[in-house]
Amino acid sequence: MTDTQLRRYEIFVIERPGRPPVHAGSVHASDGELALQNARDVFARRPDCHGLWALPAEAITSHPAGSAEPPASVAPEQEPYLVFGKPGHKGVQTFLGTVQAASAAEALDAGRNTLGGGIVDWWVAPERCRLATQPEDAAPMFDPSKDKPFRDQAFYPVETMMRKLRRDRESGRAKP
Amino acid sequence: MQTEDGANLAEFEARLARGEKIEPGDWMPAEYRRQLIRMISQHAHSEIVGMLPEGGWITRAPSLRRKLVLLAKVQDEGGHGQYLYHAAETLGATREEMIEALLSGRAKYSSIFNYPAAAWADVGVIGWFVDSAAILNQTMLARSSYGPYSRAMVRICAEENFHRKQGMEIVLRLSQGTAAQREMVQGAVNRWWWPTLMMFGPRDSDSPNTPTLVRWGIKTRTNDELRQEFVDQTVPEALAMELSLPDPSLHFEAEAGHWRFGEINWDEFWNVVQGRGPCNEERLQARRKAHQDGAWVREALAAFSRRQDRAA
């Protein structure tokens, strides 16, 4: 296939200030900056997004499922790893915290020892692979969705209109 | 099934029985994976092709408000396609394979999008009929046993309620409008009623995949059950708006509590599914053109990316 759909990035959404980034899905993009732009269009068309993270799919190691090791650091030195976990079988991958580790395997161990119980599935990725929207990007990225109330079903008073129609019909005032 | 590991299969089915969601990377039967890729990629294609019938009305919407709403709706459909392609990718399908299957005509998508939106009122009726039908189907799929599909559906259902309601608002206004507006909306109702009933898919007795899909919790209700619920929900709405439905044998069966409808033209359904509907060729041409017209953008992105990599 000559015409590729570019690299895949996993996307995490911060719904409100102070809430942890939660996995939303993935987008394809040629670089991280465009991944964040695409993620805005795909996952933040409504005003419930305060920030976005993008991680190249190949940078994530999951457990117990397992996957390829992320690209190794130049030297096997400790570096910060992001740790995500799925809380319970109906949960979604959610950011739990950062650990210092020299490999994904070490980061998984550290995460399991220090971050949260009840996690059924873990993801770790080197922090250096993450791209995130910055606080100063928030207004131009996310404010445009706020003046589009017509994207919300509550904008359409169809139940009220239906009730009125039915009432009019019952009381015989409906048009013939 | 002989090739599956018996112990794995038993554990898999026990997980389903406990109501656990299956996640990418978990062990699953090859047939579960195959059926999910088939369903989810068809669903993704339906969202993408589904932009076309209504997209043609964006430039001709009767007011700025309607234009903004329709733009937002069509953009949502594109986004829904993206959520779904993602869900299929978690099962090992690649974006390239799926797009190639759609453009080459090998992949299927919902039969409904091979019908034309002939008048402005069709945009309203599509929201009222087609999006209502989609919500029934997708609410069921939100309980699906595969985590990424289920989560995509939860997100999509929330947005589809906007689609349904903007359509109903158009239909309500037209049905209370001038004689010409009533005539236009009645025409759209007549055009879309039967294709919408067909959209739920073949009768359960002709639906070979259903028992497997229900057994593994991919689907939790059958085509015929969902079709009946759509009819029961929609007929009273049409009556309230004094719109007629093009089915002389439609009647309420008080004992069962259901609206009974006439025989669906299954020859028409299979013709459309097999590529001989009113707009199949036009839809594929439009998708191929969009893909070709976007080639230079993908090439430019790839070139930029290579340059960045070299610089790094």
Side-chain angles (χ1 to χ4, degrees):
Chain A
M1 178 76 56
T2 52
D3 190 10
T4 81
Q5 298 290 311
L6 312 170
R7 291 171 87 184
R8 185 155 60 86
Y9 289 81
E10 297 296 335
I11 301 300
F12 301 80
V13 173
I14 301 163
E15 288 196 348
R16 284 192 296 284
R19 296 293 297 271
V22 172
H23 184 234
S26 63
V27 298
H28 290 248
S30 53
D31 62 44
E33 192 184 339
L34 281 167
L36 290 174
Q37 285 290 340
N38 291 350
R40 197 277 300 259
D41 294 344
V42 173
F43 297 110
R45 292 189 300 277
R46 286 172 177 73
D48 48 9
C49 184
H50 189 75
L52 291 165
W53 285 10
L55 274 168
E58 70 271 14
I60 298 175
T61 300
S62 63
H63 177 88
S67 78
E69 277 281 302
S73 332
V74 181
E77 281 169 14
Q78 292 234 327
E79 63 170 322
Y81 273 79
L82 308 171
V83 181
F84 304 84
K86 188 175 128 159
H89 281 287
K90 291 192 174 162
V92 185
Q93 286 288 347
T94 303
F95 176 64
L96 300 174
T98 308
V99 296
Q100 287 288 327
S103 69
E106 241 186 76
L108 270 172
D109 279 342
R112 278 188 290 180
N113 290 333
T114 57
L115 298 168
I119 299 296
V120 295
D121 197 15
W122 297 83
W123 284 1
V124 295
E127 190 181 60
R128 66 188 147 81
C129 298
R130 176 197 58 187
L131 289 114
T133 54
Q134 300 304 308
E136 61 270 24
D137 302 333
M141 285 281 272
F142 307 121
D143 282 358
S145 67
K146 290 179 186 147
D147 60 8
K148 296 183 177 64
F150 49 83
R151 283 187 183 278
D152 183 353
Q153 51 98 16
F155 185 73
Y156 305 89
V158 299
E159 270 100 11
T160 317
M161 290 166 79
M162 269 296 189
R163 269 198 301 278
K164 181 174 181 308
L165 264 188
R166 290 193 165 115
R167 226 177 18 246
D168 288 352
R169 278 191 56 148
E170 278 162 22
S171 63
R173 281 184 284 112
K175 283 185 287 180
Chain B
M1 296 303 296
Q2 302 92 313
T3 57
E4 300 288 1
D5 179 333
N8 279 340
L9 183 61
E11 169 56 18
F12 172 80
E13 294 196 333
R15 291 189 61 194
L16 295 184
R18 290 195 295 271
E20 291 179 15
K21 297 280 186 214
I22 307 302
E23 292 294 335
D26 291 353
W27 188 90
M28 62 185 83
E31 180 64 8
Y32 179 84
R33 185 184 302 274
R34 196 185 70 82
Q35 289 284 358
L36 274 170
I37 291 176
R38 180 187 66 81
M39 263 181 79
I40 300 173
S41 61
Q42 284 180 12
H43 198 161
H45 299 325
S46 301
E47 299 282 356
I48 298 296
V49 178
M51 294 193 279
L52 297 171
E54 292 175 283
W57 281 98
I58 291 173
T59 53
R60 295 178 286 164
S63 70
L64 181 59
R65 178 181 184 274
R66 295 286 181 214
K67 190 195 289 272
L68 284 169
V69 169
L70 186 55
L71 258 175
K73 183 194 181 217
V74 171
Q75 193 195 22
D76 272 353
E77 310 292 8
H80 296 175
Q82 302 300 322
Y83 306 161
L84 287 159
Y85 283 128
H86 154 75
E89 286 178 286
T90 65
L91 292 155
T94 69
R95 188 75 61 121
E96 288 84 352
E97 287 162 358
M98 291 187 278
I99 305 266
E100 158 63 18
L102 174 65
L103 299 182
S104 70
R106 276 183 291 121
K108 292 200 165 45
Y109 54 85
S110 180
S111 57
I112 194 81
F113 301 118
N114 290 312
Y115 290 86
W120 166 251
D122 291 48
V123 171
V125 173
I126 289 171
W128 178 28
F129 283 178
V130 177
D131 290 299
S132 296
I135 289 169
L136 288 173
N137 191 40
Q138 291 168 350
T139 304
M140 179 265 292
L141 292 170
R143 293 189 287 270
S144 162
S145 58
Y146 187 57
Y149 196 21
S150 156
R151 289 192 289 273
M153 285 297 124
V154 170
R155 196 175 269 277
I156 288 175
C157 282
E159 302 185 351
E160 291 281 353
N161 275 312
F162 143 51
H163 301 178
R164 166 180 152 80
K165 288 194 174 175
Q166 63 81 34
M168 284 198 75
E169 190 195 39
I170 293 172
V171 174
L172 273 157
R173 297 252 188 249
L174 292 176
S175 73
Q176 307 309 302
T178 64
Q181 286 174 322
R182 281 194 63 81
E183 192 186 330
M184 175 169 64
V185 75
Q186 183 64 59
V189 165
N190 295 348
R191 280 190 287 280
W192 288 91
W193 176 251
W194 287 109
T196 306
L197 295 193
M198 292 175 201
M199 186 185 157
F200 291 95
R203 274 186 297 237
D204 293 350
S205 53
D206 298 324
S207 184
N209 293 319
T210 296
T212 312
L213 297 177
V214 171
R215 171 170 163 228
W216 282 335
I218 297 174
K219 286 174 80 163
T220 54
R221 302 175 70 197
T222 69
N223 296 352
D224 285 339
E225 288 167 11
L226 291 166
R227 185 163 23 235
Q228 184 63 58
E229 184 172 347
F230 170 79
V231 172
D232 290 341
Q233 169 185 310
T234 309
V235 174
E237 292 169 348
L239 287 174
M241 290 187 269
E242 296 182 58
L243 292 165
S244 67
L245 295 166
D247 178 359
S249 48
L250 188 69
H251 65 281
F252 190 66
E253 200 178 283
E255 220 164 274
H258 290 302
W259 284 91
R260 297 302 184 195
F261 48 95
E263 182 65 16
I264 289 169
N265 182 345
W266 292 110
D267 289 341
E268 178 182 328
F269 171 74
W270 290 114
N271 264 326
V272 176
V273 168
Q274 286 156 14
R276 296 186 297 275
C279 301
N280 294 58
E281 194 47 40
E282 188 185 326
R283 300 292 182 240
L284 280 188
Q285 291 294 1
R287 287 313 310 158
R288 287 188 195 121
K289 181 172 186 307
H291 191 72
Q292 283 156 11
D293 290 353
W296 71 270
V297 179
R298 293 188 296 278
E299 283 162 17
L301 289 171
F304 180 73
S305 169
R306 277 194 302 275
R307 205 169 67 190
Q308 299 285 92
D309 286 349
R310 271 201 304 274

